[in-house]
PDB file of all heavy atoms in Angstrom:
ATOM      1  N   VAL A1110       8.398  16.650  11.338  1.00 48.00           N
ATOM      2  CA  VAL A1110       8.070  16.835  12.748  1.00 48.00           C
ATOM      3  C   VAL A1110       9.198  16.462  13.681  1.00 48.00           C
ATOM      4  O   VAL A1110       9.196  16.852  14.837  1.00 48.00           O
ATOM      5  CB  VAL A1110       6.828  16.011  13.147  1.00 48.00           C
ATOM      6  CG1 VAL A1110       5.627  16.482  12.407  1.00 48.00           C
ATOM      7  CG2 VAL A1110       7.060  14.540  12.945  1.00 48.00           C
ATOM      8  N   PHE A1113      10.877  19.426  15.265  1.00 43.00           N
ATOM      9  CA  PHE A1113       9.947  20.527  15.436  1.00 43.00           C
ATOM     10  C   PHE A1113       9.838  21.445  14.227  1.00 43.00           C
ATOM     11  O   PHE A1113       9.420  22.578  14.400  1.00 43.00           O
ATOM     12  CB  PHE A1113      10.343  21.415  16.627  1.00 43.00           C
ATOM     13  CG  PHE A1113      10.616  20.675  17.876  1.00 43.00           C
ATOM     14  CD1 PHE A1113      11.651  21.063  18.698  1.00 43.00           C
ATOM     15  CD2 PHE A1113       9.851  19.598  18.254  1.00 43.00           C
ATOM     16  CE1 PHE A1113      11.913  20.392  19.882  1.00 43.00           C
ATOM     17  CE2 PHE A1113      10.117  18.927  19.432  1.00 43.00           C
ATOM     18  CZ  PHE A1113      11.139  19.331  20.242  1.00 43.00           C
ATOM     19  N   TYR A1166      13.238  13.220  23.911  1.00 95.00           N
ATOM     20  CA  TYR A1166      11.813  13.342  23.630  1.00 95.00           C
ATOM     21  C   TYR A1166      11.351  12.190  22.744  1.00 95.00           C
ATOM     22  O   TYR A1166      12.090  11.715  21.878  1.00 95.00           O
ATOM     23  CB  TYR A1166      11.513  14.665  22.908  1.00 95.00           C
ATOM     24  CG  TYR A1166      11.790  15.881  23.752  1.00 95.00           C
ATOM     25  CD1 TYR A1166      13.067  16.436  23.810  1.00 95.00           C
ATOM     26  CD2 TYR A1166      10.780  16.472  24.512  1.00 95.00           C
ATOM     27  CE1 TYR A1166      13.336  17.538  24.597  1.00 95.00           C
ATOM     28  CE2 TYR A1166      11.045  17.583  25.294  1.00 95.00           C
ATOM     29  CZ  TYR A1166      12.328  18.113  25.336  1.00 95.00           C
ATOM     30  OH  TYR A1166      12.591  19.212  26.111  1.00 95.00           O
ATOM     31  N   GLU A1167      10.109  11.784  22.968  1.00 94.00           N
ATOM     32  CA  GLU A1167       9.472  10.779  22.115  1.00 94.00           C
ATOM     33  C   GLU A1167       8.283  11.422  21.424  1.00 94.00           C
ATOM     34  O   GLU A1167       7.476  12.105  22.063  1.00 94.00           O
ATOM     35  CB  GLU A1167       9.018   9.582  22.946  1.00 94.00           C
ATOM     36  CG  GLU A1167       8.447   8.435  22.124  1.00 94.00           C
ATOM     37  CD  GLU A1167       8.107   7.234  22.978  1.00 94.00           C
ATOM     38  OE1 GLU A1167       9.046   6.511  23.379  1.00 94.00           O
ATOM     39  OE2 GLU A1167       6.902   7.033  23.273  1.00 94.00           O
ATOM     40  N   PHE A1168       8.183  11.212  20.108  1.00 92.00           N
ATOM     41  CA  PHE A1168       7.122  11.819  19.321  1.00 92.00           C
ATOM     42  C   PHE A1168       6.119  10.773  18.856  1.00 92.00           C
ATOM     43  O   PHE A1168       6.492   9.650  18.503  1.00 92.00           O
ATOM     44  CB  PHE A1168       7.709  12.539  18.100  1.00 92.00           C
ATOM     45  CG  PHE A1168       8.273  13.890  18.413  1.00 92.00           C
ATOM     46  CD1 PHE A1168       9.522  14.003  19.007  1.00 92.00           C
ATOM     47  CD2 PHE A1168       7.560  15.036  18.143  1.00 92.00           C
ATOM     48  CE1 PHE A1168      10.048  15.239  19.314  1.00 92.00           C
ATOM     49  CE2 PHE A1168       8.076  16.282  18.452  1.00 92.00           C
ATOM     50  CZ  PHE A1168       9.323  16.387  19.040  1.00 92.00           C
ATOM     51  N   SER A1169       4.853  11.169  18.876  1.00 90.00           N
ATOM     52  CA  SER A1169       3.780  10.310  18.369  1.00 90.00           C
ATOM     53  C   SER A1169       2.960  11.086  17.348  1.00 90.00           C
ATOM     54  O   SER A1169       2.943  12.318  17.344  1.00 90.00           O
ATOM     55  CB  SER A1169       2.891   9.819  19.513  1.00 90.00           C
ATOM     56  OG  SER A1169       2.291  10.921  20.183  1.00 90.00           O
ATOM     57  N   PHE A1170       2.289  10.341  16.483  1.00 84.00           N
ATOM     58  CA  PHE A1170       1.583  10.897  15.332  1.00 84.00           C
ATOM     59  C   PHE A1170       0.157  10.375  15.336  1.00 84.00           C
ATOM     60  O   PHE A1170      -0.085   9.210  15.657  1.00 84.00           O
ATOM     61  CB  PHE A1170       2.326  10.460  14.065  1.00 84.00           C
ATOM     62  CG  PHE A1170       1.621  10.759  12.769  1.00 84.00           C
ATOM     63  CD1 PHE A1170       1.938  11.897  12.044  1.00 84.00           C
ATOM     64  CD2 PHE A1170       0.676   9.885  12.248  1.00 84.00           C
ATOM     65  CE1 PHE A1170       1.320  12.164  10.845  1.00 84.00           C
ATOM     66  CE2 PHE A1170       0.050  10.147  11.047  1.00 84.00           C
ATOM     67  CZ  PHE A1170       0.376  11.291  10.342  1.00 84.00           C
ATOM     68  N   SER A1171      -0.794  11.241  14.989  1.00 85.00           N
ATOM     69  CA  SER A1171      -2.179  10.804  14.907  1.00 85.00           C
ATOM     70  C   SER A1171      -2.885  11.511  13.754  1.00 85.00           C
ATOM     71  O   SER A1171      -2.874  12.745  13.680  1.00 85.00           O
ATOM     72  CB  SER A1171      -2.917  11.097  16.223  1.00 85.00           C
ATOM     73  OG  SER A1171      -4.288  10.758  16.119  1.00 85.00           O
ATOM     74  N   GLY A1177       0.393   6.350  16.246  1.00 86.00           N
ATOM     75  CA  GLY A1177       1.464   5.524  16.783  1.00 86.00           C
ATOM     76  C   GLY A1177       2.720   6.326  17.020  1.00 86.00           C
ATOM     77  O   GLY A1177       2.780   7.530  16.779  1.00 86.00           O
ATOM     78  N   LYS A1178       3.753   5.641  17.505  1.00 89.00           N
ATOM     79  CA  LYS A1178       5.038   6.266  17.776  1.00 89.00           C
ATOM     80  C   LYS A1178       5.690   6.690  16.474  1.00 89.00           C
ATOM     81  O   LYS A1178       5.638   5.969  15.464  1.00 89.00           O
ATOM     82  CB  LYS A1178       5.941   5.286  18.520  1.00 89.00           C
ATOM     83  CG  LYS A1178       7.282   5.862  18.914  1.00 89.00           C
ATOM     84  CD  LYS A1178       8.093   4.847  19.714  1.00 89.00           C
ATOM     85  CE  LYS A1178       9.478   5.392  20.052  1.00 89.00           C
ATOM     86  NZ  LYS A1178      10.267   4.416  20.846  1.00 89.00           N
ATOM     87  N   LEU A1179       6.295   7.868  16.499  1.00 87.00           N
ATOM     88  CA  LEU A1179       6.902   8.421  15.292  1.00 87.00           C
ATOM     89  C   LEU A1179       8.423   8.406  15.353  1.00 87.00           C
ATOM     90  O   LEU A1179       9.096   8.104  14.367  1.00 87.00           O
ATOM     91  CB  LEU A1179       6.412   9.851  15.089  1.00 87.00           C
ATOM     92  CG  LEU A1179       6.883  10.592  13.847  1.00 87.00           C
ATOM     93  CD1 LEU A1179       6.485   9.835  12.596  1.00 87.00           C
ATOM     94  CD2 LEU A1179       6.301  11.994  13.820  1.00 87.00           C
ATOM     95  N   GLY A1180       9.003   8.762  16.489  1.00 91.00           N
ATOM     96  CA  GLY A1180      10.454   8.793  16.558  1.00 91.00           C
ATOM     97  C   GLY A1180      10.959   9.384  17.849  1.00 91.00           C
ATOM     98  O   GLY A1180      10.193   9.630  18.791  1.00 91.00           O
ATOM     99  N   ILE A1348       1.630  18.164  33.745  1.00 95.00           N
ATOM    100  CA  ILE A1348       1.964  17.326  32.606  1.00 95.00           C
ATOM    101  C   ILE A1348       2.683  16.079  33.118  1.00 95.00           C
ATOM    102  O   ILE A1348       3.756  16.169  33.729  1.00 95.00           O
ATOM    103  CB  ILE A1348       2.869  18.071  31.608  1.00 95.00           C
ATOM    104  CG1 ILE A1348       2.199  19.368  31.139  1.00 95.00           C
ATOM    105  CG2 ILE A1348       3.203  17.177  30.425  1.00 95.00           C
ATOM    106  CD1 ILE A1348       0.923  19.166  30.364  1.00 95.00           C
ATOM    107  N   LEU A1377       1.697  24.448  20.103  1.00 92.00           N
ATOM    108  CA  LEU A1377       1.686  24.684  21.542  1.00 92.00           C
ATOM    109  C   LEU A1377       2.898  24.055  22.212  1.00 92.00           C
ATOM    110  O   LEU A1377       3.428  23.038  21.752  1.00 92.00           O
ATOM    111  CB  LEU A1377       0.406  24.105  22.163  1.00 92.00           C
ATOM    112  CG  LEU A1377      -0.920  24.611  21.578  1.00 92.00           C
ATOM    113  CD1 LEU A1377      -2.084  23.847  22.198  1.00 92.00           C
ATOM    114  CD2 LEU A1377      -1.073  26.105  21.804  1.00 92.00           C
ATOM    115  N   TRP A1379       4.537  23.374  26.357  1.00 97.00           N
ATOM    116  CA  TRP A1379       4.405  23.464  27.811  1.00 97.00           C
ATOM    117  C   TRP A1379       5.807  23.427  28.429  1.00 97.00           C
ATOM    118  O   TRP A1379       6.587  22.502  28.180  1.00 97.00           O
ATOM    119  CB  TRP A1379       3.567  22.302  28.354  1.00 97.00           C
ATOM    120  CG  TRP A1379       2.106  22.431  28.068  1.00 97.00           C
ATOM    121  CD1 TRP A1379       1.139  22.914  28.897  1.00 97.00           C
ATOM    122  CD2 TRP A1379       1.431  22.057  26.844  1.00 97.00           C
ATOM    123  NE1 TRP A1379      -0.093  22.867  28.284  1.00 97.00           N
ATOM    124  CE2 TRP A1379       0.055  22.351  27.029  1.00 97.00           C
ATOM    125  CE3 TRP A1379       1.850  21.507  25.631  1.00 97.00           C
ATOM    126  CZ2 TRP A1379      -0.885  22.104  26.037  1.00 97.00           C
ATOM    127  CZ3 TRP A1379       0.916  21.270  24.645  1.00 97.00           C
ATOM    128  CH2 TRP A1379      -0.442  21.571  24.855  1.00 97.00           C
ATOM    129  N   VAL A1389       8.464  20.348  28.315  1.00 96.00           N
ATOM    130  CA  VAL A1389       8.061  18.986  28.661  1.00 96.00           C
ATOM    131  C   VAL A1389       7.074  18.402  27.661  1.00 96.00           C
ATOM    132  O   VAL A1389       6.914  17.183  27.584  1.00 96.00           O
ATOM    133  CB  VAL A1389       7.466  18.923  30.084  1.00 96.00           C
ATOM    134  CG1 VAL A1389       8.535  19.284  31.106  1.00 96.00           C
ATOM    135  CG2 VAL A1389       6.260  19.830  30.235  1.00 96.00           C
ATOM    136  N   ARG A1390       6.417  19.256  26.890  1.00 95.00           N
ATOM    137  CA  ARG A1390       5.503  18.754  25.848  1.00 95.00           C
ATOM    138  C   ARG A1390       5.402  19.781  24.736  1.00 95.00           C
ATOM    139  O   ARG A1390       5.376  20.986  24.978  1.00 95.00           O
ATOM    140  CB  ARG A1390       4.109  18.473  26.416  1.00 95.00           C
ATOM    141  CG  ARG A1390       3.091  18.015  25.366  1.00 95.00           C
ATOM    142  CD  ARG A1390       1.722  17.746  25.979  1.00 95.00           C
ATOM    143  NE  ARG A1390       1.748  16.565  26.825  1.00 95.00           N
ATOM    144  CZ  ARG A1390       0.758  16.221  27.654  1.00 95.00           C
ATOM    145  NH1 ARG A1390      -0.310  16.997  27.760  1.00 95.00           N
ATOM    146  NH2 ARG A1390       0.859  15.122  28.380  1.00 95.00           N
ATOM    147  N   VAL A1391       5.369  19.310  23.496  1.00 92.00           N
ATOM    148  CA  VAL A1391       5.147  20.163  22.333  1.00 92.00           C
ATOM    149  C   VAL A1391       4.087  19.481  21.475  1.00 92.00           C
ATOM    150  O   VAL A1391       4.036  18.252  21.396  1.00 92.00           O
ATOM    151  CB  VAL A1391       6.450  20.387  21.538  1.00 92.00           C
ATOM    152  CG1 VAL A1391       7.045  19.076  21.044  1.00 92.00           C
ATOM    153  CG2 VAL A1391       6.220  21.329  20.370  1.00 92.00           C
ATOM    154  N   GLN A1392       3.221  20.280  20.864  1.00 91.00           N
ATOM    155  CA  GLN A1392       2.127  19.681  20.085  1.00 91.00           C
ATOM    156  C   GLN A1392       1.808  20.531  18.865  1.00 91.00           C
ATOM    157  O   GLN A1392       1.700  21.752  18.949  1.00 91.00           O
ATOM    158  CB  GLN A1392       0.875  19.548  20.952  1.00 91.00           C
ATOM    159  CG  GLN A1392      -0.253  18.775  20.289  1.00 91.00           C
ATOM    160  CD  GLN A1392      -1.425  18.579  21.236  1.00 91.00           C
ATOM    161  OE1 GLN A1392      -2.213  19.487  21.451  1.00 91.00           O
ATOM    162  NE2 GLN A1392      -1.520  17.397  21.830  1.00 91.00           N
ATOM    163  N   PHE A1393       1.689  19.860  17.712  1.00 86.00           N
ATOM    164  CA  PHE A1393       1.281  20.496  16.468  1.00 86.00           C
ATOM    165  C   PHE A1393      -0.075  19.939  16.060  1.00 86.00           C
ATOM    166  O   PHE A1393      -0.314  18.737  16.164  1.00 86.00           O
ATOM    167  CB  PHE A1393       2.254  20.183  15.326  1.00 86.00           C
ATOM    168  CG  PHE A1393       3.687  20.438  15.639  1.00 86.00           C
ATOM    169  CD1 PHE A1393       4.538  19.398  15.995  1.00 86.00           C
ATOM    170  CD2 PHE A1393       4.207  21.718  15.565  1.00 86.00           C
ATOM    171  CE1 PHE A1393       5.870  19.631  16.270  1.00 86.00           C
ATOM    172  CE2 PHE A1393       5.540  21.953  15.841  1.00 86.00           C
ATOM    173  CZ  PHE A1393       6.366  20.908  16.192  1.00 86.00           C
ATOM    174  N   LYS A1394      -0.939  20.815  15.552  1.00 84.00           N
ATOM    175  CA  LYS A1394      -2.193  20.380  14.959  1.00 84.00           C
ATOM    176  C   LYS A1394      -2.403  21.162  13.673  1.00 84.00           C
ATOM    177  O   LYS A1394      -2.426  22.396  13.682  1.00 84.00           O
ATOM    178  CB  LYS A1394      -3.375  20.608  15.904  1.00 84.00           C
ATOM    179  CG  LYS A1394      -3.427  19.660  17.085  1.00 84.00           C
ATOM    180  CD  LYS A1394      -4.715  19.831  17.886  1.00 84.00           C
ATOM    181  CE  LYS A1394      -4.777  18.845  19.049  1.00 84.00           C
ATOM    182  NZ  LYS A1394      -6.040  18.980  19.828  1.00 84.00           N
ATOM    183  N   VAL A1398      -3.899  16.532  11.302  1.00 83.00           N
ATOM    184  CA  VAL A1398      -2.749  15.818  11.842  1.00 83.00           C
ATOM    185  C   VAL A1398      -2.407  16.374  13.221  1.00 83.00           C
ATOM    186  O   VAL A1398      -2.366  17.587  13.413  1.00 83.00           O
ATOM    187  CB  VAL A1398      -1.524  15.962  10.908  1.00 83.00           C
ATOM    188  CG1 VAL A1398      -0.279  15.345  11.549  1.00 83.00           C
ATOM    189  CG2 VAL A1398      -1.794  15.318   9.565  1.00 83.00           C
ATOM    190  N   THR A1399      -2.176  15.497  14.171  1.00 88.00           N
ATOM    191  CA  THR A1399      -1.699  15.890  15.494  1.00 88.00           C
ATOM    192  C   THR A1399      -0.380  15.178  15.764  1.00 88.00           C
ATOM    193  O   THR A1399      -0.299  13.955  15.659  1.00 88.00           O
ATOM    194  CB  THR A1399      -2.704  15.520  16.602  1.00 88.00           C
ATOM    195  OG1 THR A1399      -3.939  16.191  16.354  1.00 88.00           O
ATOM    196  CG2 THR A1399      -2.179  15.925  17.968  1.00 88.00           C
ATOM    197  N   VAL A1400       0.638  15.938  16.091  1.00 88.00           N
ATOM    198  CA  VAL A1400       1.948  15.384  16.456  1.00 88.00           C
ATOM    199  C   VAL A1400       2.289  15.890  17.847  1.00 88.00           C
ATOM    200  O   VAL A1400       2.236  17.086  18.114  1.00 88.00           O
ATOM    201  CB  VAL A1400       3.040  15.807  15.451  1.00 88.00           C
ATOM    202  CG1 VAL A1400       4.391  15.267  15.903  1.00 88.00           C
ATOM    203  CG2 VAL A1400       2.713  15.298  14.058  1.00 88.00           C
ATOM    204  N   THR A1401       2.612  14.964  18.744  1.00 92.00           N
ATOM    205  CA  THR A1401       2.911  15.317  20.127  1.00 92.00           C
ATOM    206  C   THR A1401       4.290  14.787  20.511  1.00 92.00           C
ATOM    207  O   THR A1401       4.603  13.623  20.250  1.00 92.00           O
ATOM    208  CB  THR A1401       1.858  14.724  21.087  1.00 92.00           C
ATOM    209  OG1 THR A1401       0.562  15.195  20.709  1.00 92.00           O
ATOM    210  CG2 THR A1401       2.145  15.133  22.528  1.00 92.00           C
ATOM    211  N   GLY A1402       5.100  15.655  21.100  1.00 93.00           N
ATOM    212  CA  GLY A1402       6.400  15.241  21.621  1.00 93.00           C
ATOM    213  C   GLY A1402       6.426  15.434  23.123  1.00 93.00           C
ATOM    214  O   GLY A1402       5.988  16.463  23.629  1.00 93.00           O
ATOM    215  N   GLU A1403       6.919  14.436  23.851  1.00 95.00           N
ATOM    216  CA  GLU A1403       6.970  14.520  25.308  1.00 95.00           C
ATOM    217  C   GLU A1403       8.369  14.186  25.823  1.00 95.00           C
ATOM    218  O   GLU A1403       9.074  13.327  25.267  1.00 95.00           O
ATOM    219  CB  GLU A1403       5.959  13.566  25.942  1.00 95.00           C
ATOM    220  CG  GLU A1403       4.534  14.032  25.797  1.00 95.00           C
ATOM    221  CD  GLU A1403       3.584  13.290  26.721  1.00 95.00           C
ATOM    222  OE1 GLU A1403       3.965  12.214  27.225  1.00 95.00           O
ATOM    223  OE2 GLU A1403       2.479  13.795  26.949  1.00 95.00           O
ATOM    224  N   LEU A1404       8.758  14.886  26.875  1.00 96.00           N
ATOM    225  CA  LEU A1404      10.029  14.631  27.533  1.00 96.00           C
ATOM    226  C   LEU A1404       9.974  13.264  28.216  1.00 96.00           C
ATOM    227  O   LEU A1404       9.109  13.017  29.045  1.00 96.00           O
ATOM    228  CB  LEU A1404      10.300  15.726  28.572  1.00 96.00           C
ATOM    229  CG  LEU A1404      11.617  15.646  29.336  1.00 96.00           C
ATOM    230  CD1 LEU A1404      12.790  15.946  28.410  1.00 96.00           C
ATOM    231  CD2 LEU A1404      11.604  16.627  30.510  1.00 96.00           C
TER     232      LEU A1404
END
Side-chain angles (χ1 to χ4, degrees):
V1110 296
F1113 310 141
Y1166 295 86
E1167 185 176 284
F1168 280 78
S1169 60
F1170 171 97
S1171 176
K1178 183 177 177 179
L1179 183 58
I1348 303 296
L1377 304 174
W1379 286 263
V1389 296
R1390 177 180 290 169
V1391 59
Q1392 188 175 78
F1393 309 100
K1394 287 187 178 181
V1398 174
T1399 300
V1400 177
T1401 302
E1403 287 195 343
L1404 182 69

